[in-house]
Amino acid sequence: MKLYDFVLSANCYKVRLLLGFLGVSYDSEVIDFHPGKEHKGEAFRLINPLGHIPVLDDDGYVLRDAHAILVYLASRYDPGRSWYPVTDPERLGSVAQWMAFADATASTASATRLHVNLGYDFDVDERRAAAHELFRVADEHLWFGERTGNDWFVPGPLPTLADVAVFPDVVLAEEGGIDLMDYPSLVRWTGRVKQIPGFSVMPGVFPFERA
Amino acid sequence: MPIATRETTDPVLDGWHPIAASGELSMGEQRRTRLLGEALDIEIDLLGNASVARATAPAEPLPTHDRYGYLWTCLGEPSIPLFEIPEVDEPGRRVLHAGTIGVHVSAPRAVENFLDMAHFPYVHTDILGVEPFTEVAEYDVHIDSINELWATDCVFWQPIAATTSTEGQMTDYEYRVPHPYCVILYKTSPIDDRKDVIALFCQPVDEERIEAHMFLCLLDASNSTAMIRDFQLTIFGQDKPILENQYPKRLPLDPRAETPIRADKVAISYRRWLSDQGVTYAVIPA
């Protein structure tokens, strides 16, 4: 299995995280996203005409879009069906809802990080404000979950793709100038994600440390 | 406050500073950047020549220099020549821009972190260091005849010293600080008797922010540009949160400000060297 990958990409990190949780081994095909902009080049557009990473190539089956890749990997490599709970319509719906939420954090929290780190041209104040609005909603959701003994975005004993999809943009948010101090439930949840067996870090993300 | 409006003899004002990776500028491009608290406009004409001007009305043209793969400019009198890196002309070397990353830190804090070996096992675990090999052995620090600061005879055990590594090695390091905000590292190549050259050129956006330009001059003919950049960006990405969590963001030059340990010998010398030159920008003067 091959992942077209860039080490500092939050979207690639999502996929690497799930591969780790599932214990699936893979090879990284490193794309020179920065500074080379290889993902926008002609050669890479033959792999993904949209010019985005990540792209997964599983023995010839080629799939783009981080969330699509998460769905595929969980459906194929998680025999327990816990990450993508297709047998439970309500939980499945909630997973899809939080994955859509993660699309919104990508265009807000993740965009501010691209602006600060790599100089991408965004209205950073506007994106930061929008990210704060999303984080408030997520923090509140998790806070109520904690009150009823739920550790994860989608209530249930085990984490789902919702947690994988939301995690990178939250844990990397401070690089974009978004302080997580006001979101204690979100911060506690990142600590729980870090304790899932198979968890992996990326530059900017630290392993779990007991306080 | 922009440095140029200050009553100052700070050498930072008359020094050259990097403002872009030349290879990332395309013909006809106009780009705005910031240096020492001021907005600058970079323009590339249709012949590929770069011009730089203060983004004022009317625009005030500034001197430029294209070297080591970067565009440099100076906001004062360009009386201090840009330092030399003779290795770029040696055969068999690969000169490469690894990337530019914006960091919420002062330039001297970034230089000081670059000079620090003690953090390798904890921050760059399994790459530039690994426990229990955490000791920083005694090394030498001196200032040479052209007032560049050196730390020599540094050694450190490294599991993966470079993209060319196939096994762990005892790596020899020499650090060179030829400019208040630029630092060069010479380290043992896993495959050549000469040393790999790795440099951090900080563009001081203001006193608490930099654009970090990463320069490489390597003995590595086999790895792809993508792989070499991946290695450097991984290391720098690991440093970034550490840098951004240092307070105060400006570097205190008062020797009593932060408690020194042996590993900090070069850091202490760097602070004194900045102080002796009269650097005031992005530091807290003693």
Side-chain angles (χ1 to χ4, degrees), chain B residues 119-198:
Chain B
H119 76 287
F120 289 169
Y122 310 106
V123 178
H124 310 298
T125 312
D126 298 331
I127 307 174
L128 300 185
V130 66
E131 290 183 84
F133 306 105
T134 58
E135 199 206 351
V136 176
E138 189 60 49
Y139 58 90
D140 292 319
V141 177
H142 73 275
I143 294 169
D144 70 10
S145 60
I146 54 170
N147 195 33
E148 294 186 353
L149 178 71
W150 288 82
T152 58
D153 299 315
C154 315
V155 289
F156 211 82
W157 173 262
Q158 303 201 307
I160 307 174
T163 43
T164 46
S165 296
T166 50
E167 58 187 352
Q169 65 176 35
M170 210 55 169
T171 306
D172 294 326
Y173 269 67
E174 281 191 13
Y175 289 104
R176 173 184 167 207
V177 192
H179 176 297
Y181 303 154
C182 297
V183 55
I184 304 169
L185 163 63
Y186 301 84
K187 67 184 282 189
T188 313
S189 159
I191 56 161
D192 197 292
D193 291 339
R194 294 175 291 168
K195 285 187 155 64
D196 281 326
V197 183
I198 299 167

Side-chain angles (χ1 to χ4, degrees), chain A residues 6-8 28 30-32 34-38 115-119 174-175 202-206, chain B residues 24 97-103 209 211 225-227 229-230 233-234 237-238 240-242 244-245:
Chain A
F6 175 65
V7 65
L8 301 182
S28 267
V30 174
I31 296 300
D32 183 0
H34 173 82
K37 295 194 167 66
E38 187 182 353
H115 171 84
V116 172
N117 287 3
L118 305 183
E174 292 190 341
E175 289 195 0
M202 67 166 269
V205 179
F206 297 96
Chain B
E24 288 177 20
H97 163 57
T100 298
I101 306 272
V103 192
R209 269 171 217 283
E211 293 288 333
T225 297
M227 289 303 289
R229 285 174 166 163
D230 175 73
L233 293 173
T234 298
Q238 291 171 338
K240 188 177 151 77
I242 310 287
E244 294 186 329
N245 282 302

Side-chain angles (χ1 to χ4, degrees), chain B:
Chain B
M1 179 167 59
I3 190 170
T5 61
R6 290 181 180 182
E7 218 31 77
T8 183
T9 52
D10 189 334
V12 164
L13 178 61
D14 292 335
W16 292 94
H17 299 278
I19 53 169
S22 315
E24 288 177 20
L25 298 165
S26 41
M27 276 188 270
E29 184 176 343
Q30 294 185 320
R31 188 193 287 194
R32 169 127 337 155
T33 190
R34 294 186 70 80
L35 178 67
L36 300 167
E38 290 191 59
L40 307 183
D41 285 322
I42 303 172
E43 198 173 332
I44 311 300
D45 70 16
L46 295 173
L47 296 171
N49 301 309
S51 58
V52 178
R54 281 193 161 96
T56 48
E60 183 192 330
L62 292 168
T64 62
H65 215 14
D66 197 333
R67 242 174 135 193
Y68 311 134
Y70 300 92
L71 184 64
W72 304 72
T73 193
C74 172
L75 296 187
E77 285 300 315
S79 55
I80 306 167
L82 186 58
F83 52 85
E84 295 295 326
I85 306 179
E87 290 82 5
V88 294
D89 299 319
E90 277 180 15
R93 283 188 179 269
R94 196 144 150 209
V95 177
L96 196 64
H97 163 57
T100 298
I101 306 272
V103 192
H104 192 188
V105 70
S106 66
R109 285 272 191 205
V111 168
E112 199 177 85
N113 178 73
F114 194 90
L115 291 169
D116 172 47
M117 285 182 290
H119 76 287
F120 289 169
Y122 310 106
V123 178
H124 310 298
T125 312
D126 298 331
I127 307 174
L128 300 185
V130 66
E131 290 183 84
F133 306 105
T134 58
E135 199 206 351
V136 176
E138 189 60 49
Y139 58 90
D140 292 319
V141 177
H142 73 275
I143 294 169
D144 70 10
S145 60
I146 54 170
N147 195 33
E148 294 186 353
L149 178 71
W150 288 82
T152 58
D153 299 315
C154 315
V155 289
F156 211 82
W157 173 262
Q158 303 201 307
I160 307 174
T163 43
T164 46
S165 296
T166 50
E167 58 187 352
Q169 65 176 35
M170 210 55 169
T171 306
D172 294 326
Y173 269 67
E174 281 191 13
Y175 289 104
R176 173 184 167 207
V177 192
H179 176 297
Y181 303 154
C182 297
V183 55
I184 304 169
L185 163 63
Y186 301 84
K187 67 184 282 189
T188 313
S189 159
I191 56 161
D192 197 292
D193 291 339
R194 294 175 291 168
K195 285 187 155 64
D196 281 326
V197 183
I198 299 167
L200 172 67
F201 301 151
C202 297
Q203 171 184 349
V205 170
D206 58 32
E207 295 202 87
E208 299 190 349
R209 269 171 217 283
I210 60 167
E211 293 288 333
H213 304 285
M214 281 171 276
F215 163 92
L216 304 171
C217 178
L218 302 181
L219 299 149
D220 180 350
S222 57
N223 284 293
S224 68
T225 297
M227 289 303 289
I228 292 173
R229 285 174 166 163
D230 175 73
F231 187 86
Q232 291 304 323
L233 293 173
T234 298
I235 300 297
F236 197 77
Q238 291 171 338
D239 281 319
K240 188 177 151 77
I242 310 287
L243 292 170
E244 294 186 329
N245 282 302
Q246 290 185 343
Y247 295 95
K249 291 205 175 281
R250 288 181 296 146
L251 184 70
L253 299 188
D254 186 330
R256 292 159 301 182
E258 287 167 6
T259 316
I261 53 168
R262 180 172 66 176
D264 287 338
K265 187 157 99 179
V266 63
I268 294 160
S269 305
Y270 171 60
R271 292 179 188 201
R272 191 181 308 137
W273 180 78
L274 289 174
S275 211
D276 290 348
Q277 289 175 77
V279 171
T280 57
Y281 196 80
V283 299
I284 301 169

Side-chain angles (χ1 to χ4, degrees), chain A:
Chain A
M1 184 180 312
K2 183 159 74 177
L3 177 66
Y4 293 89
D5 196 7
F6 175 65
V7 65
L8 301 182
S9 157
N11 272 332
C12 293
Y13 179 44
K14 277 179 202 185
V15 176
R16 297 196 297 266
L17 267 180
L18 183 65
L19 286 163
F21 292 147
L22 296 174
V24 173
S25 63
Y26 66 99
D27 294 313
S28 267
E29 175 82 19
V30 174
I31 296 300
D32 183 0
F33 180 93
H34 173 82
K37 295 194 167 66
E38 187 182 353
H39 58 301
K40 298 295 181 194
E42 244 171 79
F44 189 75
R45 287 204 193 256
L46 296 175
I47 298 160
N48 178 1
L50 298 178
H52 296 157
I53 47 172
V55 173
L56 186 79
D57 181 339
D58 188 9
D59 199 19
Y61 173 64
V62 178
L63 188 63
R64 62 174 186 247
D65 189 290
H67 291 170
I69 295 169
L70 296 185
V71 168
Y72 166 75
L73 287 172
S75 304
R76 169 140 284 179
Y77 296 102
D78 173 26
R81 294 277 179 274
S82 67
W83 290 99
Y84 196 58
V86 285
T87 54
D88 184 333
E90 289 189 8
R91 293 187 76 235
L92 187 64
S94 297
V95 169
Q97 171 190 290
W98 288 109
M99 290 176 85
F101 178 88
D103 282 326
T105 62
S107 60
T108 54
S110 194
T112 64
R113 183 171 164 266
L114 286 170
H115 171 84
V116 172
N117 287 3
L118 305 183
Y120 280 52
D121 189 16
F122 292 119
D123 181 337
V124 68
D125 294 331
E126 190 185 296
R127 307 268 175 147
R128 238 173 234 148
H132 277 295
E133 213 164 297
L134 294 169
F135 283 7
R136 252 192 303 277
V137 169
D139 187 62
E140 198 177 286
H141 169 73
L142 289 170
W143 188 86
F144 281 112
E146 284 173 340
R147 292 294 157 284
T148 50
N150 282 306
D151 282 346
W152 311 111
F153 264 95
V154 176
L158 293 170
T160 65
L161 292 190
D163 301 289
V164 182
V166 177
F167 181 79
D169 286 345
V170 170
V171 79
L172 294 164
E174 292 190 341
E175 289 195 0
I178 297 164
D179 199 331
L180 291 178
M181 214 160 56
D182 293 336
Y183 311 110
S185 295
L186 258 183
V187 172
R188 283 193 294 273
W189 164 80
T190 62
R192 294 194 290 273
V193 173
K194 288 178 179 188
Q195 294 172 81
I196 300 171
F199 174 76
S200 57
V201 295
M202 67 166 269
V205 179
F206 297 96
F208 180 72
E209 265 182 68
R210 222 161 282 277

